[in-house]
Amino acid sequence: MILDGKKIASEIRSELREQIASRVAQGKRAPRLGIVIVGHNPASETYVANKIKACAEVGIEVERVALEADITEEQLLAEVERLNHDEQIDGFIVQLPLPDHITETTILSAIDYRKDVDGLTPANVGRTVQGLPSLVSATPRGIRELLARNGIQTAGKHVVVIGRSNIVGKPIAMLLMQRPYLSLPGMSASSLGDATVTICHSKTRDLAAICRTADIIIVAAGCPKLLTADMVREGVVVIDVGINRVEDPASPRGYRLTGDVDFEHVAPKAAYITPVPGGVGPMTIASLLQNTLQAYNEHTR
Ligand code: NAD
């Protein structure tokens, strides 16, 4: 069965729209998200435009802060401080990547964790590790929601995560191995967890043998066709996070997007599988909106 991220993300947006409309009808102000973009990276500008559009659809106001690429680290830190203290801003993100002369970890560490709707500050990651209420980064939150809304249990299951990045591999592994005592407002997926998790990466020996013991495989490596049919057993659940451009002369753009899974051959063996595009991708923006509402609810309590 295909795990339709596009459909579920659209359901989430409808729920958020209703929740926000009802808060506003009670006389509260609308949630407000800050988006800081530095320089003119075309991919970043597209991502930011998509986020602004998604916010508008559900009733979240946006303050877009566009800064020139030659801004100093101190000036950007001052902007982060301003947003940390702005009472009208419930949460904000600093769109990555940043120019080379700015250290990302310095900037991320300066964001107030209660406004960190990208869930990337060391404070939020630490809170997640300790099972404290936190803002979980968007892609792992989206994966958890995708599993939960399809009734896929993780307790006692063997989950293999391929990839150990700070934005996907590490946090999703952490979330799924947790005892399910994380209680996140507005989160239907809080009962997920209790899995036995193996994290694999580029130095893992015999990835295929490890994958063949998995009930659930989450692939976030950025390698087309990394997961092939001989590496999975019948009835496996496959979550493909990868987004890769592969040349395709038949496409008007000259390329098409593909994930990390050999979808054509793995899908017939899988109980559930996400497509690329239309799987994890749409869930990521929906999760940013959920995080913004979570921060707003805490902030305007
Ligand atoms: P990354 O690019 O920072 O790192 C890749 C990870 O995969 C590393 O930990 C590496 O050790 C591992 N890896 C690479 N080749 C491997 C191999 N042959 N065998 C085993 N492990 C291997 O990771 P990222 O930022 O999490 O991105 C991974 C992929 O997910 C990329 O394609 C990215 O575009 C995509 N992505 C998608 C979304 C989404 O919303 N769908 C969000 C974030 C990232």
Side-chain angles (χ1 to χ4, degrees):
M1 184 180 151
I2 302 287
L3 294 173
D4 189 344
K6 213 170 154 185
K7 179 164 157 276
I8 293 177
S10 153
E11 287 166 13
I12 291 172
R13 284 199 300 274
S14 300
E15 292 165 14
L16 293 174
R17 197 180 307 121
E18 276 177 33
Q19 288 167 22
I20 292 168
S22 108
R23 305 282 197 289
V24 171
Q26 289 161 11
K28 280 191 177 180
R29 65 167 174 78
R32 195 165 167 82
L33 172 73
I35 301 183
V36 180
I37 177 163
V38 181
H40 300 279
N41 177 329
S44 293
E45 286 185 342
T46 305
Y47 291 138
V48 166
N50 289 340
K51 289 171 188 176
I52 293 174
K53 188 164 157 263
C55 284
E57 265 179 52
V58 301
I60 295 175
E61 294 175 358
V62 174
E63 179 178 333
R64 183 178 185 276
V65 182
L67 303 168
E68 287 307 319
D70 61 359
I71 189 172
T72 65
E73 196 166 277
E74 288 68 32
Q75 286 169 318
L76 184 53
L77 281 171
E79 195 56 44
V80 166
E81 262 320 281
R82 182 187 71 76
L83 291 163
N84 279 341
H85 292 101
D86 185 336
E87 276 303 307
Q88 298 303 309
I89 293 282
D90 300 297
F92 65 98
I93 64 170
V94 177
Q95 183 68 41
L96 302 178
L98 292 170
D100 289 345
H101 66 281
I102 296 178
T103 311
E104 281 181 2
T105 49
T106 305
I107 302 302
L108 293 178
S109 303
I111 299 173
D112 182 335
Y113 77 90
R114 290 163 298 190
K115 293 193 173 188
D116 169 30
V117 287
D118 256 348
L120 296 177
T121 58
N124 258 320
V125 175
R127 292 177 68 85
T128 304
V129 171
Q130 295 196 345
L132 298 169
S134 60
L135 289 157
V136 172
S137 67
T139 304
R141 181 172 182 157
I143 294 170
R144 191 164 66 162
E145 195 79 37
L146 200 55
L147 294 170
R149 290 188 184 232
N150 284 282
I152 299 168
Q153 303 289 324
T154 56
K157 302 273 177 68
H158 182 206
V159 177
V160 170
V161 176
I162 309 178
R164 56 179 162 183
S165 70
N166 285 337
I167 62 166
V168 188
K170 279 188 218 164
I172 190 64
M174 192 52 58
L175 288 174
L176 296 182
M177 63 79 92
Q178 289 277 16
R179 286 172 64 184
Y181 52 69
L182 269 179
S183 164
L184 301 179
M187 181 92 200
S188 65
S190 56
S191 62
L192 282 179
D194 275 343
T196 303
V197 180
T198 303
I199 305 177
C200 300
H201 47 76
S202 51
K203 301 287 185 289
T204 297
R205 278 192 221 148
D206 207 351
L207 182 65
I210 297 170
C211 288
R212 278 193 287 269
T213 67
D215 301 302
I216 300 173
I217 304 177
I218 299 172
V219 203
C223 300
K225 297 198 178 178
L226 176 63
L227 191 77
T228 49
D230 59 308
M231 295 167 73
V232 304
R233 60 185 183 192
E234 290 285 339
V236 68
V237 174
V238 177
I239 306 292
D240 189 354
V241 186
I243 303 178
N244 307 292
R245 278 185 182 194
V246 293
E247 270 185 43
D248 182 1
S251 155
R253 292 179 297 188
Y255 68 88
R256 67 188 157 79
L257 293 182
T258 173
D260 290 348
V261 176
D262 179 1
F263 185 90
E264 185 190 349
H265 298 105
V266 172
K269 291 179 84 173
Y272 295 92
I273 186 165
T274 57
V276 178
V280 174
M283 296 299 295
T284 297
I285 288 193
S287 300
L288 172 68
L289 304 177
Q290 286 179 309
N291 275 347
T292 304
L293 188 61
Q294 184 183 323
Y296 162 83
N297 286 339
E298 285 293 316
H299 189 196
T300 58
R301 234 204 256 243

